[in-house]
């Protein structure tokens, strides 16, 4: 089974709408990373969360890690076409600096 | 920010040939680099951990004799796909670990798309 479950798998929103992507694990996450990927390209680092209850924001993107450190959410406010892409969560599950990735969420933002 | 490059960005080769992919950290030294593989619409799967000056550590199910990794210096790791077959066609991404103290220690390269005919 997938160690990191991402939902939804794909998402289509109208420009200006808010959206949330979730990343869930049955194990404690020692470090939770959010990346954005354009198809066929490398990963762009967005944010990293380590502490339970931590929340970080950058421009219109906010990421949270729950108190139990098993679930994270990525929230985009007032989405724009430039937000379109694949969002991947990656986590250090074994506390060994190796990252396990979710399957990604394909976001489409219609103008 | 930290920059990691990969070369080539894409390669097409005939079945049975070997292909070498380079991963370079351009403005920092990386004791550890990671190699990932990503199939279409799938997640990134860690293949191996490359450590400068020592043997790479391979994940379960990854053939070390097929995917040769050499971490020759603190800024360069290479992945050689030996005797490539069509099922090896994939998107290969490397990352370099930079312990900056800020948490975002892994910086990813732009990836190399391999197509084996």
């Amino acid at each position: 089974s997938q160690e990191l479950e991402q939902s939804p798998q794909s998402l289509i929103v109208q420009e200006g709408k808010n959206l949330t992507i979730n990343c869930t694990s049955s194990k404690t996450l020692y470090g939770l990373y959010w990346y954005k990927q354009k198809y066929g390209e490398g990963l762009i680092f967005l944010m990293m969360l380590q502490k339970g209850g931590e929340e970080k924001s950058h421009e219109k993107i906010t990421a949270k890690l729950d108190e139990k450190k098993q679930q994270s959410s990525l929230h985009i406010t007032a989405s724009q076409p430039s937000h379109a892409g694949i969002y991947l969560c990656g986590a250090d599950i074994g506390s060994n600096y190796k990252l396990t990735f979710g399957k990604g969420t394909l976001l489409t933002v219609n103008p | 920010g930290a920059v990691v490059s990969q070369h080539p960005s894409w390669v097409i080769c005939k079945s049975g040939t070997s292909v070498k992919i380079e991963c370079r950290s351009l403005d920092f030294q990386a004791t550890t680099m990671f190699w990932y593989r990503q199939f279409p619409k799938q997640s990134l799967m860690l293949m191996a951990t490359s450590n400068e000056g020592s043997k790479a550590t391979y994940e379960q199910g990854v053939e070390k004799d097929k995917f040769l990794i050499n971490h020759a210096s603190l800024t360069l790791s290479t992945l050689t796909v030996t005797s490539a077959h069509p099922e090896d066609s994939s998107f290969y991404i490397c990352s370099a670990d930079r312990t900056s103290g800020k948490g975002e220690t892994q910086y990813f390269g732009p990836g190399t798309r391999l197509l084996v005919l």
Side-chain angles (χ1 to χ4, degrees):
Chain A
S1 64
Q2 190 77 11
E3 289 188 294
L4 274 184
E5 294 285 344
Q6 258 186 264
S7 63
Q9 289 187 342
S10 64
L11 190 56
I12 302 174
V13 300
Q14 204 66 32
E15 183 177 358
K17 295 294 185 182
N18 303 336
L19 63 104
T20 300
I21 299 169
N22 294 300
C23 181
T24 304
S25 174
S26 59
K27 301 178 181 179
T28 300
L29 306 174
Y30 292 93
L32 189 289
Y33 299 75
W34 282 101
Y35 294 91
K36 181 183 175 184
Q37 183 185 29
K38 296 274 187 183
Y39 179 73
E41 298 181 10
L43 275 65
I44 300 170
F45 171 82
L46 296 176
M47 271 172 278
M48 189 267 190
L49 305 166
Q50 277 186 308
K51 301 176 182 177
E54 187 174 9
E55 178 177 324
K56 288 185 178 179
S57 293
H58 177 67
E59 296 181 344
K60 294 184 178 179
I61 301 176
T62 300
K64 301 178 184 179
L65 182 62
D66 73 339
E67 289 289 346
K68 291 175 63 178
K69 295 172 61 176
Q70 289 183 316
Q71 183 174 9
S72 178
S73 61
L74 185 81
H75 185 77
I76 298 178
T77 304
S79 58
Q80 299 170 351
S82 60
H83 288 127
I86 301 168
Y87 288 82
L88 286 161
C89 65
D92 179 359
I93 294 179
S95 188
N96 56 11
Y97 304 106
K98 295 181 181 180
L99 295 185
T100 298
F101 285 87
K103 288 190 174 182
T105 296
L106 175 61
L107 172 63
T108 303
V109 181
N110 291 326
Chain B
V3 178
V4 175
S5 70
Q6 274 185 247
H7 178 78
S9 56
W10 61 273
V11 57
I12 301 174
C13 68
K14 292 182 179 180
S15 183
T17 60
S18 294
V19 175
K20 180 186 283 187
I21 302 170
E22 294 184 347
C23 177
R24 293 180 185 272
S25 55
L26 298 183
D27 54 357
F28 66 98
Q29 294 182 328
T31 304
T32 303
M33 291 184 174
F34 300 90
W35 286 96
Y36 297 84
R37 181 168 52 183
Q38 184 182 36
F39 292 106
K41 298 186 179 181
Q42 297 292 319
S43 183
L44 275 74
M45 296 299 295
L46 179 64
M47 298 175 65
T49 302
S50 171
N51 300 296
E52 189 269 339
S54 63
K55 291 183 179 180
T57 304
Y58 291 82
E59 295 300 302
Q60 190 174 8
V62 178
E63 301 175 57
K64 62 180 181 180
D65 294 330
K66 181 169 183 61
F67 298 99
L68 300 179
I69 291 174
N70 186 344
H71 199 144
S73 73
L74 288 172
T75 59
L76 173 64
S77 175
T78 60
L79 169 70
T80 301
V81 183
T82 62
S83 187
H85 291 286
E87 58 265 30
D88 297 324
S89 298
S90 188
F91 190 57
Y92 293 86
I93 303 179
C94 72
S95 71
D97 184 17
R98 175 189 186 186
T99 305
S100 65
K102 296 181 180 179
E104 61 270 26
T105 58
Q106 282 197 41
Y107 293 87
F108 285 81
T112 296
R113 185 161 298 283
L114 170 64
L115 176 60
V116 184
L117 302 176

